[in-house]
Amino acid sequence: MKVVLLISLVHLLLAISTPCTNANEPVRDTKGELVRPGTKYYVMSAIRGFYGGGVRRGPTYNANSGVCNSDYCCPYEVVQSLDDEDKGMPIILEGAVSKVDPITESTNLTVRFSIRNPLICNNTVWKVEKGEISFLSTNGNPSKADAWFQIKRNNEFSYKFVDSASNSPVGITLYNGERRLVLDTNEIFQAVFIKDTRDGINSII
């Protein structure tokens, strides 16, 4: 009898501690509001302090020209700012196959940075660059499967991005001085969404 009660208690604790993975569960921002397509959000680490700031397009530094922006080069990496106070660049989420509103977990999505750029630097769509190290770039085509992602609940306090094709989570790896977003890493990027309330304002680079 005691064994049965103990097993039941363990199952109950596991059920309580396991994050919800309901595919129809809506994604929410830090204020508890529904995440909507076409709306700008900053993607930041749920763990503040040592773990860096928001996601942006990089590289943030170029050895030849200093700070990398549209006047010097076309940034193509998806990186996390090393500055904990930097919100990064806002992103926009859209349904990859069909329209979805609100954004829900386990739905195929495209992710793009909201950036005001010259025509030569309009690469903004996230993509998985398959290789020995599968980095994320901004050279994606929203109609291609390698530019499709899903958002899933990571724990009670955060979400994670997942590559739709491989179901591999997006994490962070330190590479050439940058905290780059990459697949198949032990350091999953624990993300939260902060709504950008600055209507009409885009990032420059």
Side-chain angles (χ1 to χ4, degrees):
M1 183 66 174
K2 291 182 178 180
V3 174
V4 174
L5 289 175
L6 178 60
I7 292 175
S8 299
L9 179 60
V10 171
H11 286 170
L12 177 61
L13 291 174
L14 286 174
I16 294 175
S17 61
T18 301
C20 177
T21 56
N22 185 353
N24 296 320
E25 191 72 17
V27 177
R28 297 182 180 274
D29 64 17
T30 52
K31 292 186 177 181
E33 297 177 352
L34 298 175
V35 171
R36 300 285 187 179
T39 302
K40 301 175 187 177
Y41 296 92
Y42 294 104
V43 181
M44 297 195 69
S45 172
I47 307 175
R48 306 305 302 276
F50 175 75
Y51 290 88
V55 173
R56 61 169 49 252
R57 193 170 66 162
T60 56
Y61 183 81
N62 182 281
N64 296 320
S65 57
V67 176
C68 186
N69 60 39
S70 301
D71 295 327
Y72 304 121
C73 58
C74 289
Y76 63 92
E77 301 170 357
V78 183
V79 303
Q80 181 192 19
S81 174
L82 298 174
D83 182 359
D84 184 52
E85 299 302 319
D86 180 13
K87 289 184 179 179
M89 296 178 178
I91 66 161
I92 294 177
L93 300 166
E94 300 284 359
V97 179
S98 58
K99 293 182 179 180
V100 56
D101 189 7
I103 300 297
T104 55
E105 294 183 38
S106 302
T107 299
N108 288 333
L109 305 167
T110 60
V111 188
R112 64 180 172 89
F113 284 117
S114 175
I115 300 174
R116 184 176 66 252
N117 251 345
L119 293 178
I120 59 172
C121 284
N122 61 356
N123 54 311
T124 60
V125 178
W126 290 18
K127 171 188 176 181
V128 176
E129 299 285 355
K130 294 294 185 180
E132 184 175 349
I133 304 177
S134 296
F135 291 112
L136 268 60
S137 79
T138 58
N139 294 326
N141 180 335
S143 66
K144 303 292 186 180
D146 59 6
W148 296 357
F149 297 87
Q150 296 180 5
I151 297 172
K152 295 185 178 182
R153 173 68 69 174
N154 184 57
N155 54 39
E156 182 181 356
F157 308 103
S158 68
Y159 294 94
K160 61 184 176 183
F161 286 95
V162 174
D163 172 38
S164 293
S166 65
N167 202 36
S168 298
V170 172
I172 300 287
T173 189
L174 190 63
Y175 187 84
N176 288 342
E178 300 276 3
R179 289 180 63 84
R180 293 190 62 177
L181 272 64
V182 61
L183 298 188
D184 298 324
T185 176
N186 292 325
E187 187 181 346
I188 294 177
F189 180 51
Q190 302 183 51
V192 292
F193 299 93
I194 301 175
K195 187 176 181 179
D196 181 6
T197 57
R198 307 173 304 161
D199 290 339
I201 299 178
N202 295 325
S203 297
I204 296 176
I205 62 174

